[in-house]
Amino acid sequence: MIEAISAVTLATHDMLRAVRFYASLGFEIAHGSESASFTSFRAGAGYLNLIAQPLEKQWSWWGRTIFYVSDVDALYERALATGHRPSTQPRDAEWGERYFHLTDPDGHELSFAKLLAER
Protein backbone atom coordinates (compact mmCIF):
# COMPACT_ATOMS: atom_id res chain seq x y z
CA MET A 1 0.00 0.00 0.00
CA ILE A 2 1.23 3.48 -0.82
CA GLU A 3 1.60 5.55 2.35
CA ALA A 4 2.67 9.05 1.27
CA ILE A 5 4.38 11.17 -1.33
CA SER A 6 7.96 11.87 -0.33
CA ALA A 7 8.67 14.55 -2.92
CA VAL A 8 7.62 16.19 -6.15
CA THR A 9 10.39 17.27 -8.53
CA LEU A 10 9.87 20.14 -10.98
CA ALA A 11 12.19 21.13 -13.82
CA THR A 12 13.52 24.66 -14.17
CA HIS A 13 15.53 26.50 -16.80
CA ASP A 14 16.70 29.06 -14.24
CA MET A 15 17.53 27.77 -10.75
CA LEU A 16 18.25 31.25 -9.36
CA ARG A 17 14.83 32.56 -10.44
CA ALA A 18 13.02 29.40 -9.30
CA VAL A 19 14.67 29.30 -5.86
CA ARG A 20 13.87 32.96 -5.28
CA PHE A 21 10.26 32.39 -6.35
CA TYR A 22 9.69 29.52 -3.90
CA ALA A 23 11.62 31.22 -1.09
CA SER A 24 9.45 34.32 -1.52
CA LEU A 25 6.41 32.16 -0.76
CA GLY A 26 7.97 30.84 2.45
CA PHE A 27 9.47 27.54 1.28
CA GLU A 28 12.60 26.69 3.30
CA ILE A 29 15.66 25.23 1.53
CA ALA A 30 16.65 21.81 2.85
CA HIS A 31 19.43 21.13 0.31
CA GLY A 32 21.00 23.00 -2.58
CA SER A 33 20.95 26.68 -3.41
CA GLU A 34 20.30 29.30 -6.07
CA SER A 35 23.37 28.07 -7.97
CA ALA A 36 22.89 24.30 -7.51
CA SER A 37 21.67 21.92 -10.21
CA PHE A 38 19.27 20.33 -7.69
CA THR A 39 17.54 22.07 -4.78
CA SER A 40 15.07 20.69 -2.22
CA PHE A 41 12.58 22.65 -0.15
CA ARG A 42 10.75 21.34 2.90
CA ALA A 43 7.01 20.94 2.32
CA GLY A 44 5.59 19.59 5.56
CA ALA A 45 6.80 16.01 5.91
CA GLY A 46 7.77 15.92 2.21
CA TYR A 47 9.85 17.89 -0.22
CA LEU A 48 9.52 20.03 -3.32
CA ASN A 49 12.57 19.52 -5.50
CA LEU A 50 13.85 21.63 -8.37
CA ILE A 51 16.13 20.19 -11.03
CA ALA A 52 17.94 22.37 -13.56
CA GLN A 53 17.33 21.52 -17.21
CA PRO A 54 18.91 22.95 -20.38
CA LEU A 55 16.91 25.49 -22.40
CA GLU A 56 16.38 22.99 -25.22
CA LYS A 57 14.44 20.74 -22.82
CA GLN A 58 10.81 21.85 -23.19
CA TRP A 59 7.63 20.83 -21.41
CA SER A 60 4.01 21.79 -21.61
CA TRP A 61 1.34 21.84 -18.94
CA TRP A 62 1.65 18.62 -16.99
CA GLY A 63 -0.70 18.99 -14.03
CA ARG A 64 -0.87 20.76 -10.72
CA THR A 65 0.92 20.34 -7.39
CA ILE A 66 -1.29 21.07 -4.39
CA PHE A 67 0.16 22.26 -1.10
CA TYR A 68 -1.85 22.44 2.11
CA VAL A 69 -1.09 25.63 4.02
CA SER A 70 -2.16 27.03 7.37
CA ASP A 71 -3.68 30.24 5.93
CA VAL A 72 -4.65 30.46 2.26
CA ASP A 73 -5.54 34.15 2.38
CA ALA A 74 -2.30 35.15 4.12
CA LEU A 75 -0.22 33.27 1.54
CA TYR A 76 -2.23 34.87 -1.27
CA GLU A 77 -1.49 38.32 0.17
CA ARG A 78 2.19 37.39 0.54
CA ALA A 79 2.29 36.28 -3.10
CA LEU A 80 0.78 39.60 -4.21
CA ALA A 81 3.12 41.60 -1.95
CA THR A 82 6.17 39.92 -3.47
CA GLY A 83 5.02 40.72 -7.01
CA HIS A 84 3.52 37.38 -8.05
CA ARG A 85 0.28 37.23 -10.01
CA PRO A 86 -1.90 34.31 -8.91
CA SER A 87 -4.24 33.06 -11.64
CA THR A 88 -7.16 32.87 -9.19
CA GLN A 89 -8.21 34.59 -6.00
CA PRO A 90 -8.83 32.53 -2.85
CA ARG A 91 -12.23 30.87 -2.90
CA ASP A 92 -14.18 28.16 -1.15
CA ALA A 93 -14.65 25.10 -3.35
CA GLU A 94 -17.60 22.74 -3.32
CA TRP A 95 -15.23 19.86 -2.44
CA GLY A 96 -14.46 21.42 0.95
CA GLU A 97 -11.24 23.37 0.46
CA ARG A 98 -10.30 27.04 0.26
CA TYR A 99 -7.63 27.52 -2.41
CA PHE A 100 -5.92 29.66 -5.03
CA HIS A 101 -3.69 28.87 -8.01
CA LEU A 102 -0.32 30.32 -8.92
CA THR A 103 1.95 29.41 -11.84
CA ASP A 104 5.69 29.34 -11.17
CA PRO A 105 8.20 31.00 -13.53
CA ASP A 106 8.70 27.70 -15.43
CA GLY A 107 4.99 27.19 -16.07
CA HIS A 108 4.26 24.66 -13.30
CA GLU A 109 0.82 25.19 -11.79
CA LEU A 110 0.63 25.29 -8.01
CA SER A 111 -2.42 25.26 -5.79
CA PHE A 112 -2.37 26.35 -2.15
CA ALA A 113 -5.27 24.98 -0.13
CA LYS A 114 -6.73 24.37 3.31
CA LEU A 115 -9.60 22.13 4.30
CA LEU A 116 -12.59 24.28 5.19
CA ALA A 117 -13.34 22.19 8.28
CA GLU A 118 -9.95 23.31 9.66
CA ARG A 119 -10.50 27.03 9.01
Side-chain angles (χ1 to χ4, degrees):
M1 173 180 266
I2 297 171
E3 296 178 3
I5 292 176
S6 170
V8 172
T9 301
L10 304 176
T12 182
H13 291 130
D14 185 337
M15 186 64 75
L16 173 67
R17 179 186 67 186
V19 167
R20 288 182 178 175
F21 173 84
Y22 285 97
S24 76
L25 295 172
F27 284 83
E28 179 185 337
I29 294 177
H31 171 79
S33 68
E34 294 176 345
S35 61
S37 61
F38 185 86
T39 299
S40 290
F41 293 92
R42 287 184 182 82
Y47 296 89
L48 169 66
N49 301 322
L50 300 173
I51 188 165
Q53 294 293 299
L55 289 176
E56 60 271 7
K57 176 79 174 181
Q58 296 296 311
W59 49 85
S60 62
W61 192 83
W62 56 275
R64 176 181 302 129
T65 302
I66 302 168
F67 297 94
Y68 274 171
V69 297
S70 59
D71 189 330
V72 170
D73 295 281
L75 184 57
Y76 177 80
E77 292 301 324
R78 179 179 182 156
L80 291 176
T82 56
H84 304 306
R85 298 181 185 265
S87 56
T88 63
Q89 295 181 351
R91 76 172 202 84
D92 294 347
E94 58 273 7
W95 57 83
E97 291 178 336
R98 184 162 181 78
Y99 75 95
F100 75 92
H101 296 315
L102 176 66
T103 302
D104 83 358
D106 289 289
H108 303 296
E109 191 169 288
L110 312 171
S111 182
F112 297 95
K114 180 173 180 67
L115 292 174
L116 288 172
E118 295 180 9
R119 279 180 83 191

